[in-house]
Amino acid sequence: MSDAPARPSAVGSSAPVRSNTVVAVLAFAGIVVSLMQTLVIPIVPELPRLLDASASNTAWAVTATLLAAAVATPVIGRLGDMYGKRRMLLVSTVLLIAGSVVCALSDSVIPMIAGRALQGLAAGVIPLGISIMRDVLPAERLAGATALMSASLGVGGALGLPSSAFIADNFDWHVLFWTSAALGAVALALVLVLVPESEVRTGGRFDLIGAFGMAVGLICLLLAVSKGSDWGWTSAPTIGLFATTIVVLPVWGYYELRTSQPLVDLRTTARRQVLVTNLASVAIGFSMFAMSLVLPQVLQLPEATGYGLGKSMLAVGLVLAPQGLVMMTMSAVSARVTKARGPKTTLMCGAVIVAAGYSLSLVLMSEVWHITLIACTIGAGIGFAYGAMPALIMDAVPPSETAAANSLNTLMRSIGTSFASAIAGVVLAQMTTGFGGHQLPAENGFKVVMAIGAGSALVAFVIASFIPRRHTAVEEPSAADGPTAAAEATEANV
């Protein structure tokens, strides 16, 4: 195991200021990256006209980001553990800027897809930021800082929708990507100047074969899930992709267990606390995204349907934006609950709050304030849950594997969101109503999806109950507390 790094040079009275700065910069970088989730939503219906391409081809502007993020997250995490987390965070931010510039200069579908894929490759910023925090922050700051960093994934998405809608309504659509490039450049400069490099590294040889096998397996799985409704669930491409996944991932796992320096340490991943947390993360990710598929549609559908609220995309963003602020606020509360009762309790509380928010939708979804209340309640639960997950992961893995373990946890959430999209798409496609000569999702279809979201949150609660009760990550000294304290903590764990 790598030695724990020495305390950062900023000590004494300047340490809190330094810690605050590091937390603020990393959280800002996380929010900038998570903005990519909602960046193109306001212009998706217009992309075929803007890019002179078919709707099926322009849909890859969204799919490419999903696939690139899924592959890049665990790879970048492993590279961060090996060669430096800050270094790989900077690389990820450069990829984000490059992708934004490519999109900003594009007027056809191929460059747009390429640029969106480059943006997706930056998805590792959030788990890398969490891992840097573990290495450089004092122990007493770790719970709140990692909770905020983890919540930035949802915060950026919530705040990005109204911002993107405003830009798309008032400026040329290319300004969306110039703005994201500018924000990425600011994040890059701040990280370069203000965030120290962690000295915790594993070194060794990068597992190229493992990376290739994982990429093939994940791409086949997520492509089948995300495109199955368009291609047909029984079509040859969908079945072929699922079949390839079933073959490739077990073979990949067999190889990873037998190589000396695997991309993903499956033995560490199989530890009860890590495994159960990752399974709960899939369910929580599912719950989070189910809401994102329903509430914007209810807000935008015509009032004449009897259940739509007839709002513009900008209004949709403004109605849902408070959710991001609630999520950010709850991340601090999550840290306090974790300190008092442990991250397992925090995760279970978050799952219950999410389920309660979805339950509200079964009786309250006819007014704008109803939608805001539902979104904020679910956002509060997500803030709790997302704040607890890094603490659970870091409590169960050594510092030298933090980035890879957090990246895998982030990937599990993404897999959950992908399955939510697929299942919700099937439900809404089957439960429709006629309106103006077109078929629209029926009100009961929306309620079924929200009920499934509530059920997924309760599943996360049950899964989280199997997490072993142990001391929390915040009770362990961080690398900033010095090698002696870290060694003592290791002995205590053993």
Side-chain angles (χ1 to χ4, degrees):
M1 185 184 299
S2 302
D3 293 335
R7 184 182 297 273
S9 56
V11 294
S13 62
S14 64
V17 176
R18 177 83 175 171
S19 297
N20 291 340
T21 301
V22 169
V23 172
V25 169
L26 292 176
F28 174 73
I31 290 172
V32 169
V33 169
S34 62
L35 287 172
M36 299 308 107
Q37 293 180 336
T38 53
L39 185 68
V40 298
I41 288 179
I43 63 171
V44 164
E46 298 296 319
L47 281 178
R49 178 181 61 81
L50 296 173
L51 300 176
D52 191 24
S54 66
S56 59
N57 285 336
T58 57
W60 285 96
V62 176
T63 305
T65 307
L66 167 70
L67 299 179
V71 173
T73 301
V75 170
I76 291 292
R78 177 59 179 156
L79 289 172
D81 282 333
M82 293 175 64
Y83 302 118
K85 303 175 183 74
R86 175 177 174 271
R87 178 179 296 174
M88 297 314 302
L89 192 150
L90 291 170
V91 169
S92 297
T93 309
V94 168
L95 291 172
L96 171 65
I97 297 169
S100 300
V101 171
V102 170
C103 291
L105 295 173
S106 67
D107 285 304
S108 59
V109 68
I110 298 299
M112 173 64 77
I113 293 172
R116 290 288 291 163
L118 286 171
Q119 288 181 323
L121 293 177
V125 163
I126 291 175
L128 286 170
I130 292 171
S131 303
I132 291 172
M133 288 174 175
R134 181 186 192 180
D135 293 344
V136 305
L137 293 181
E140 65 271 13
R141 292 298 314 277
L142 189 58
T146 56
L148 177 61
M149 188 72 194
S150 184
S152 68
L153 181 64
V155 172
L159 299 181
L161 184 57
S163 303
S164 299
F166 175 79
I167 292 173
D169 285 348
N170 294 279
F171 303 96
D172 180 80
W173 66 274
H174 294 90
V175 175
L176 285 170
F177 298 101
W178 287 121
T179 302
S180 66
L183 290 172
V186 172
L188 179 68
L190 291 175
V191 171
L192 195 61
V193 173
L194 299 173
V195 176
E197 178 62 274
S198 164
E199 297 175 14
V200 180
R201 301 184 189 181
T202 61
R205 177 182 57 83
F206 182 70
D207 181 14
L208 283 172
I209 296 177
F212 178 76
M214 184 202 65
V216 172
L218 284 177
I219 288 174
C220 289
L221 173 63
L222 295 177
L223 197 55
V225 169
S226 61
K227 291 292 186 180
S229 59
D230 294 333
W231 295 342
W233 294 106
T234 58
S235 66
T238 303
I239 293 175
L241 288 169
F242 277 128
T244 302
T245 302
I246 293 172
V247 172
V248 169
L249 287 183
V251 172
W252 170 78
Y254 180 86
Y255 172 82
E256 291 293 280
L257 288 170
R258 281 155 180 77
T259 187
S260 59
Q261 298 180 34
L263 175 73
V264 177
D265 189 339
L266 294 180
R267 292 180 176 85
T268 297
T269 304
R271 292 175 186 171
R272 182 177 170 186
Q273 183 157 325
V274 178
L275 177 62
V276 177
T277 300
N278 283 335
L279 291 175
S281 298
V282 174
I284 288 292
F286 187 106
S287 283
M288 177 181 174
F289 203 67
M291 169 199 65
S292 301
L293 293 169
V294 170
L295 298 187
Q297 292 192 65
V298 172
L299 284 165
Q300 286 187 280
L301 285 174
E303 292 185 58
T305 61
Y307 52 90
L309 299 177
K311 302 301 178 183
S312 67
M313 179 59 74
L314 178 58
V316 170
L318 293 174
V319 170
L320 298 180
Q323 178 201 18
L325 301 177
V326 170
M327 201 177 299
M328 183 179 294
T329 303
M330 286 300 105
S331 67
V333 179
S334 166
R336 288 196 288 271
V337 175
T338 293
K339 287 181 179 179
R341 303 300 299 271
K344 173 182 176 178
T345 299
T346 308
L347 178 55
M348 294 175 71
C349 287
V352 170
I353 296 171
V354 170
Y358 276 106
S359 299
L360 285 174
S361 70
L362 301 179
V363 293
L364 296 176
M365 208 158 58
S366 59
E367 301 286 346
V368 169
W369 71 268
H370 293 172
I371 303 297
T372 301
L373 176 63
I374 293 166
C376 287
T377 304
I378 295 173
I382 296 296
F384 261 76
Y386 275 22
M389 290 172 191
L392 287 163
I393 294 296
M394 292 189 294
D395 191 36
V397 303
S400 58
E401 298 177 20
T402 301
N406 278 320
S407 296
L408 184 62
N409 181 253
T410 301
L411 174 63
M412 293 299 104
R413 301 184 219 175
S414 298
I415 289 175
T417 63
S418 298
F419 276 92
S421 178
I423 293 174
V426 170
V427 171
L428 296 179
Q430 295 298 317
M431 303 182 70
T432 61
T433 184
F435 179 79
H438 301 282
Q439 292 295 309
L440 298 177
E443 183 179 14
N444 285 337
F446 289 130
K447 290 186 175 182
V448 168
V449 172
M450 297 297 270
I452 293 173
S456 178
L458 293 177
V459 168
F461 174 85
V462 173
I463 293 173
S465 69
F466 290 96
I467 297 173
R469 283 198 177 276
R470 295 177 55 184
H471 62 281
T472 67
V474 297
E475 293 170 352
E476 289 192 39
S478 71
D481 293 314
T484 302
E488 290 173 352
T490 302
E491 292 178 8
N493 287 339
V494 175

